Amino acid sequence: MTVTSYQPGEIQGLIEIDASKCKGCDACQKFCPTNAIEGASGAAHSINKDKCLSCGQCLINCPFGAIKETHSALETVIEKLADKDVKVVGIIAPAVRVAIGEEFGLGSGELVTGKLYGAMNKAGFKIFDCNFAADLTIMEEGSEFIHRLHANVKGEADAGALPQFTSCCPGWVRYLETNYPSLLANLSTAKSPQQMAGTVAKTYGAEVYNMQPEKIFTVAVMPCTSKKLEASRPEFNSAWKYHQQHGANVASYQDVDAVLTTREMAQLLKLLEIDLAHTPEFKGDSLFSEYTGAGTIFGTTGGVMEAALRTAHKVLTGNEMAKLEFEPVRGLAGVKAASVTLFDQQLSQDVTVNVAVVHDMGKNIEPILRDVMAGTSPYHFIEVMNCAGGCVNGGGQPIDGNGSSWIANI
């Protein structure tokens, strides 16, 4: 398959259907969250690029391999790894470290963090665990929610809209921008962990790596095809803007230079003749390999909300949650709702926070958004993930080939 590298600002056409392979079976239509698949049953289908979120759910669920990505940075990453004047930083998402083992014959569900670190280190990557950035995200997103909550309770001007939506899922962000732009004020202003990681790697990381930021090439390894769209957005060049403000004079560069899916990362290792299954474990090479359990659970539906509630509880009450596992937001129900009542030290009163978690967005988000638009939503904080099950079921994960998402069989 011939692919081209993507460029900043290019946000459409990432996923395409090969009409010569398409059987018109409608499997893709079943899994598309925005009804972007066009074509009658039995006839070759196509994708409406204006509606497409680049989430890749159609791709991983096509039983005939008729759907493909049109953009890949695989060759570019290999070239950068061979360049001794470049520091290549691998940003590893939580959902990748289990799924990638399947591509090397390891057991389904086996956690291979140490081996993946080792294989990427052998390939020449510096390790930046995206869980580290997820911890940063939840501190930012959680703090923002607390600020909005307090400001609204106090009736302050410019308090910020409630409910607050999470902003980690690029498919969800794209959906909101396209279909409900009036609700963008409800979206958290915090970047996703991927984008925070890219920025940190090229600012503070430049000191850690003792490297000029323009010589750092950041590669996010993600379970999600839509992360390529996110990384290419022209506004995500914060590190360059920061260094420009401090006297640097170089051409603009993105915070995240390239995104590889789980499948592409496995392909890269195989091209470099690195067998992950037989690679010794590695613990990382900097503080960027350190993280908490809150960051780890970002990869599944409810994980962001659970981490946010842990943070909010600590900040508002001064104490950790007695039980860190918050069961009401776990599980695979399409919409999960919960209420938490706690004593807010700053307000000196009990505060009840109503939260919701939504995944498999195409089937479950519309009623939630209609209530928010009507001003009747009971929720204060809402997590939204496009893919069923969250990032663990993203469009960049290994393809099973039977035309049915694993989560559909649970």
Side-chain angles (χ1 to χ4, degrees):
M1 179 179 68
T2 301
V3 294
T4 58
S5 60
Y6 51 88
Q7 301 297 322
E10 183 170 6
I11 61 173
Q12 293 184 331
L14 179 61
I15 309 293
E16 288 187 355
I17 296 176
D18 183 343
S20 68
K21 295 181 180 179
C22 179
K23 308 300 181 184
C25 70
D26 293 345
C28 54
Q29 293 181 341
K30 176 181 177 183
F31 290 97
C32 179
T34 59
N35 298 313
I37 311 294
E38 298 178 341
S41 181
H45 294 343
S46 61
I47 298 177
N48 183 323
K49 295 179 180 179
D50 292 330
K51 292 183 178 180
C52 180
L53 305 179
S54 299
C55 71
Q57 284 300 302
C58 58
L59 187 157
I60 60 171
N61 289 296
C62 175
F64 301 104
I67 306 179
K68 61 185 180 181
E69 293 179 68
T70 61
H71 299 70
S72 175
L74 185 59
E75 292 183 6
T76 301
V77 173
I78 292 175
E79 291 173 0
K80 294 295 182 180
L81 287 169
D83 188 340
K84 302 303 181 184
D85 293 327
V86 175
K87 191 79 70 176
V88 182
V89 178
I91 301 166
I92 310 164
V96 171
R97 67 202 67 208
V98 175
I100 196 168
E102 299 173 25
E103 298 284 273
F104 292 88
L106 297 174
S108 179
E110 184 175 344
L111 183 64
V112 296
T113 306
K115 286 183 174 294
L116 180 56
Y117 278 16
M120 291 181 65
N121 178 63
K122 187 175 180 179
F125 288 94
K126 302 297 286 185
I127 304 300
F128 193 125
D129 202 302
C130 205
N131 286 355
F132 177 93
D135 282 332
L136 300 181
T137 299
I138 206 55
M139 286 189 283
E140 290 292 328
E141 205 164 61
S143 297
E144 181 181 16
F145 171 66
I146 291 168
H147 170 76
R148 292 194 191 196
L149 181 67
H150 282 169
N152 275 276
V153 169
K154 295 175 183 178
E156 296 177 357
D158 301 321
L162 290 177
Q164 178 177 308
F165 296 128
T166 58
S167 54
C168 296
C169 172
W172 154 238
V173 172
R174 172 75 172 162
Y175 180 85
L176 200 65
E177 289 175 325
T178 303
N179 297 285
Y180 291 90
S182 65
L183 294 181
L184 287 173
N186 295 76
L187 193 67
S188 170
T189 61
K191 293 180 181 178
S192 72
Q194 170 181 284
Q195 295 308 128
M196 285 197 186
T199 304
V200 171
K202 293 187 178 184
T203 50
Y204 178 61
E207 299 179 23
V208 173
Y209 302 132
N210 191 27
M211 199 79 171
Q212 291 298 313
E214 62 269 21
K215 292 291 187 179
I216 296 174
F217 190 82
T218 47
V219 181
V221 187
M222 294 285 140
C224 170
T225 50
S226 193
K227 283 294 180 181
K228 296 183 179 186
L229 180 155
E230 180 181 52
S232 74
R233 293 179 65 135
E235 67 267 29
F236 285 142
N237 60 355
S238 300
W240 175 76
K241 291 175 182 175
Y242 170 84
H243 290 295
Q244 284 289 100
Q245 292 169 357
H246 290 78
N249 185 23
V250 296
S252 177
Y253 48 80
Q254 293 294 100
D255 295 324
V256 175
D257 294 296
V259 176
L260 299 179
T261 62
T262 307
R263 296 189 298 272
E264 289 173 319
M265 187 69 234
Q267 186 180 355
L268 181 145
L269 294 177
K270 291 173 182 177
L271 287 171
L272 297 180
E273 298 183 344
I274 298 173
D275 184 355
L276 181 142
H278 296 94
T279 300
E281 294 195 357
F282 180 61
K283 292 186 177 180
D285 42 38
S286 72
L287 79 165
F288 298 137
S289 300
E290 303 293 329
Y291 53 86
T292 71
T296 303
I297 59 178
F298 261 55
T300 187
T301 172
V304 178
M305 181 60 69
E306 186 170 337
L309 289 174
R310 294 178 188 180
T311 300
H313 191 282
K314 172 66 175 179
V315 172
L316 294 177
T317 70
N319 300 307
E320 300 282 1
M321 292 174 65
K323 186 173 184 286
L324 289 180
E325 297 81 6
F326 192 68
E327 301 292 343
V329 297
R330 295 190 172 191
L332 294 176
V335 178
K336 293 162 285 188
S339 294
V340 181
T341 300
L342 42 79
F343 184 76
D344 187 323
Q345 291 183 323
Q346 192 175 119
L347 296 176
S348 298
Q349 67 183 62
D350 283 335
V351 173
T352 297
V353 177
N354 299 323
V355 302
V357 171
V358 183
H359 71 125
D360 202 358
M361 184 182 73
K363 297 178 181 177
N364 299 302
I365 194 60
E366 286 295 324
I368 300 289
L369 295 180
R370 284 197 293 268
D371 286 346
V372 175
M373 292 282 288
T376 58
S377 174
Y379 304 119
H380 303 104
F381 200 2
I382 302 175
E383 174 195 315
V384 185
M385 291 290 181
N386 174 71
C387 299
C391 302
V392 293
N393 191 40
Q397 295 285 60
I399 297 173
D400 145 314
N402 66 2
S404 177
S405 168
W406 66 268
I407 203 164
N409 298 316
I410 292 178

